[in-house]
């Protein structure tokens, strides 16, 4: 089955800096790669996603890139703000359900 | 997006007992899943709830411990049986709507087993 590795596990940046989180997946049949943000005590919320036929997708300060050959994808957050502080999960879908990485705790200090 | 509700939102249970968690969606969805999120950890897929048939369980999860029902396209239950403190976790229902790719999560049920 699918296995998703995520790095780093923690990331601390200064407000205004960029943050990058990287994930790799194992199943070459996976074709959908979402990113979720989870704030303390809340449910995971989708922030951006990408399909395997697209190399990059951007939504304001957030972008995701996908390298299908290398089986890795990354989340890029520019101009970070304190409200970006949360746990971020990458995921991959090859079958019907999403399989998640272990998460990255992002801390943005002002 | 689908509106997902779960009951109960939290519970404290004694070891050896069972708890049934309900997941209700406000629209018909094609896929329903149950995940577990242990404190400070990621989301682990327990099973896919199949309408009108037995759930499909992931490695490490068995029907006797986590029986699941899905009688229709908007409702599912997960039972945590013969609980032990190791079952203390957040249990989340997750759905995918018809013709969609986005997977949405319910608010979760926070379970503490003493």
């Amino acid at each position: 089955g699918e296995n998703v590795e995520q790095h780093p596990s923690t990331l601390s940046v200064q407000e205004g800096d960029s943050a990058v989180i990287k994930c790799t997946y194992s199943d070459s049949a996976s074709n959908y790669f979402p990113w979720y943000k989870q704030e303390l005590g809340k449910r995971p919320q989708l922030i951006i996603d990408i399909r395997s036929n697209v190399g990059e997708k951007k939504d304001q300060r957030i972008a995701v890139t996908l390298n299908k050959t290398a089986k890795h994808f990354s989340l890029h957050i520019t101009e970070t703000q304190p409200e970006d502080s949360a746990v971020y999960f990458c995921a991959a879908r090859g079958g019907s359900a999403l399989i998640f990485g272990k998460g990255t705790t992002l801390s943005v200090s002002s | 997006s689908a509106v997902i509700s779960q009951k109960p939102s939290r519970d404290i249970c004694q070891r050896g007992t069972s708890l049934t968690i309900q997941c209700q969606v406000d629209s018909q969805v094609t896929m329903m899943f149950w995940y577990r999120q242990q404190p400070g950890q990621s989301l682990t897929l327990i099973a896919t709830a199949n309408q009108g048939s037995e759930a499909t369980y992931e490695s490490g999860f068995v029907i006797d411990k986590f029986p699941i029902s899905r009688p229709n396209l908007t409702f599912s239950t997960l039972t945590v049986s013969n609980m032990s403190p190791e079952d203390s976790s957040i249990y989340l229902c997750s759905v995918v709507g018809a013709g969609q790719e986005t997977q949405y999560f319910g608010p979760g049920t926070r379970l503490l087993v003493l």
Side-chain angles (χ1 to χ4, degrees):
Chain A
E2 178 63 274
N3 182 52
V4 179
E5 299 284 339
Q6 183 171 346
H7 299 281
S9 57
T10 60
L11 180 58
S12 297
V13 299
Q14 291 287 322
E15 182 177 2
D17 288 349
S18 295
V20 180
I21 303 171
K22 298 182 179 181
C23 289
T24 60
Y25 61 98
S26 61
D27 188 352
S28 56
S30 290
N31 57 11
Y32 176 67
F33 308 92
W35 288 86
Y36 287 81
K37 175 183 181 182
Q38 188 176 32
E39 297 175 329
L40 192 63
K42 297 190 176 180
R43 75 187 82 184
Q45 297 276 9
L46 178 75
I47 56 171
I48 196 167
D49 56 9
I50 192 167
R51 286 193 57 86
S52 59
N53 57 353
V54 176
E56 183 173 358
K57 184 176 178 181
K58 190 173 182 180
D59 182 4
Q60 300 182 355
R61 297 187 296 108
I62 295 173
V64 57
T65 59
L66 171 65
N67 183 326
K68 235 193 135 182
T69 303
K71 289 192 280 189
H72 68 70
F73 56 113
S74 301
L75 177 71
H76 304 253
I77 305 174
T78 59
E79 301 172 26
T80 54
Q81 302 166 2
E83 51 265 38
D84 293 329
S85 296
V87 180
Y88 291 81
F89 293 101
C90 64
R93 177 188 292 149
S96 58
L98 291 175
I99 303 301
F100 286 83
K102 291 191 182 302
T104 297
T105 300
L106 173 64
S107 300
V108 181
S109 53
S110 55
Chain B
S1 64
V3 176
I4 309 167
S5 60
Q6 284 185 232
K7 289 183 191 179
S9 58
R10 58 179 63 225
D11 207 342
I12 301 173
C13 301
Q14 296 298 318
R15 68 173 67 207
T17 63
S18 298
L19 177 72
T20 295
I21 302 167
Q22 297 180 2
C23 176
Q24 178 74 55
V25 192
D26 70 340
S27 58
Q28 293 185 349
V29 294
T30 52
M31 306 296 294
M32 294 184 81
F33 308 99
W34 287 97
Y35 285 80
R36 181 174 72 183
Q37 187 172 30
Q38 295 178 308
Q41 303 297 313
S42 183
L43 298 102
T44 301
L45 179 65
I46 298 172
T48 301
N50 300 310
Q51 192 221 342
S53 65
E54 192 172 291
T56 304
Y57 290 85
E58 296 299 301
S59 175
F61 297 96
V62 296
I63 188 171
D64 289 347
K65 176 67 175 177
F66 297 101
I68 288 170
S69 77
R70 189 182 172 192
N72 56 50
L73 292 175
T74 63
F75 184 78
S76 177
T77 66
L78 167 73
T79 299
V80 186
S81 302
N82 188 25
M83 288 183 285
S84 67
E86 292 72 35
D87 294 319
S88 297
S89 189
I90 299 173
Y91 292 87
L92 296 120
C93 173
S94 184
V95 306
V96 178
Q100 298 181 15
E101 286 184 309
T102 303
Q103 193 166 317
Y104 297 100
F105 285 86
T109 295
R110 189 178 298 268
L111 172 62
L112 177 64
V113 184
L114 301 177

